[in-house]
Amino acid sequence: MAIADVSTQVRTVSHWIGGKLVASESGRSGTVWNPATGQAQAKVGFASATEVDQAVEIAKQAFVEWRASALSRRAEVMFKLRELVDANRRRIAEMLTAEHGKTVPDAMGEVARGLENIEFACGIPNLLKGGFSEQASRGIDVYQIRQPLGVVVGITPFNFPAMVPMWMFANAIACGNTFILKPSEKDPSVSLYMAELLKKAGVPDGVFNVVQGDKVAVDRFLEHPDVKAISFVGSTPVARSIYQTGTRNGKRVQALGGAKNHMLVLPDADLGMAADAAVSAAYGSAGERCMAISVVVAVGGVADPLIAAIRERMTKIKVGPGMEEGNEMGPLITREHRDRVASYVANAASEGATVAVDGRQDPAFKRDGFFLGTSLLDHVEPDMRCYRDEIFGPVLSVVRADTYDRALRIINENPYGNGVAIFTRDGGAARQFQFDVDAGMVGVNVPIPVPVSYYSFGGWKASLFGDLHIYGPEGVQFYTRTKVVTSRWPDPGTSKVDLGFPQVR
Ligand code: NAD
């Protein structure tokens, strides 16, 4: 059966190494579920350390030629890839829906936001331009060039199985590196389809590889001497540990972690607009987005009318299989995760919160798939578990704050600092918030401020470990290292011995 066939029969998902499918021989595997039915739909073979070593060796060999390829050739490949992904948006989206569960329109959005990164990488000749200083000293020029690192690895989460890999591999490959993707074992198939598209676009064998697996594969990447850099996106505990181990082993690491994204609503905000934004950003993709709004901080007397407006909108959301037209929210990724999310709603009242809407009452909760309706928790306080933990599901908490200062303190004391939004009609208040807030991405009347691909994406605090944000200009920085050349072409007749330290003359 073709690897891109997402039919309901159980198939086996392989690696992609050296331009072809390679079955895992480790004897270890995981189940890929269909979250909309609760049935197993595939097995994914998990790489052994030896299989990781084989992939790294192939990527290392491919690096020799690829780093020497012309910039215009790499740009041409990216242009072709852009056309192929564009032409197959729907196909990719349906693959995402089949394994992740998100609705097809939501999956189309994921593809579009990933595609932006390939478009950015089409400009690689311009992005890799260095600097040149003529006559830094008499007859001496100094210039800086950017060179690729070698074999680089991307480890990605389940919630954006197409977009997050595109955040990484577009720039990594365009910069002249060879790339190994270790996708989430929960929805691994789309990575193989992307590999086919990369091959069709003209990416030479061995430049893009996919190694399926779990911690065993990741641990081997972390210690392999030929892996020069690791981009990781996933939960905070894993991000922290990958950053610590990877950097200890001398690798360049950027590790993006989890989030608790706040939406601050000031009393002057347009409440209808704020409610639309809160509902869209909290429940889109069943809350399984690292930029989902999970907390509304309502300032002053805004809470009651805002909650009423949110409730009115929530009750209209259609929950059901993502493949069926008209459904707005699909299932969660696994039964275990759905039950964990539901447990926060079940325990909220005992913590002192008010369960304003209970997602377990939604008829979809009783279906065979991993569904849960939308939940709204009111009177949430910062010391409650439902506030402290990243729930990563369709649960929105409302924290009430008397003043802007109290609201800001709550947000800044939260350990995460990924995205944050303010809703107000007061430009001065918004500007002050942008100045004050400890978060990497700020939305002003924008609930999900994911930067466009020519900026870079990244949170602060426990939402990112490392120095550089992902994709955009910082992505290019991450995947290259600079070299500074000092050069002169003097008349040999003027040459003499001089033991003094070189200085500008
Ligand atoms: P996860 O941390 O469980 O898994 C991420 C990747 O790490 C997967 O490829 C997985 O196989 C691997 N992994 C898991 N446990 C590991 C371990 N112990 N050692 C080594 N590797 C391990 O995350 P997830 O559940 O797939 O994704 C959801 C999480 O990702 C949420 O916390 C979400 O906020 C976060 N996320 C963050 C961003 C961001 O940009 N900051 C984007 C998307 C998702």
Side-chain angles (χ1 to χ4, degrees), residues 494-500:
T494 63
S495 175
K496 63 176 175 27
V497 172
D498 178 356
L499 298 194

Side-chain angles (χ1 to χ4, degrees), residues 103-186:
T103 64
V104 174
D106 186 27
M108 293 288 280
E110 165 171 359
V111 179
R113 293 308 304 265
L115 191 55
E116 276 181 16
N117 294 275
I118 297 174
E119 287 166 354
F120 178 78
C122 290
I124 200 67
N126 196 42
L127 294 164
L128 286 184
K129 269 186 187 165
F132 193 101
S133 302
E134 185 188 39
Q135 206 71 348
S137 185
R138 280 182 166 273
I140 294 186
D141 302 327
V142 177
Y143 49 98
Q144 188 188 52
I145 51 183
R146 286 197 169 275
Q147 295 192 333
L149 307 175
V151 180
V152 300
V153 171
I155 300 163
T156 53
F158 80 82
N159 65 326
F160 285 111
M163 181 184 77
V164 172
M166 287 189 258
W167 284 2
M168 300 172 179
F169 72 68
N171 282 335
I173 290 176
C175 286
N177 301 283
T178 52
F179 187 86
I180 304 175
L181 173 65
K182 205 301 283 170
S184 168
E185 64 280 28
K186 297 188 178 108

Side-chain angles (χ1 to χ4, degrees), residues 15-16 50 69 85 88 112 162 170 187 223 263 294 350 356 375 405 408 459:
H15 310 310
W16 177 279
T50 312
S69 61
V85 173
N88 291 287
D187 40 21
E223 68 187 17
M263 175 171 151
S294 48
S350 66
S375 297
D405 287 345
L408 181 71

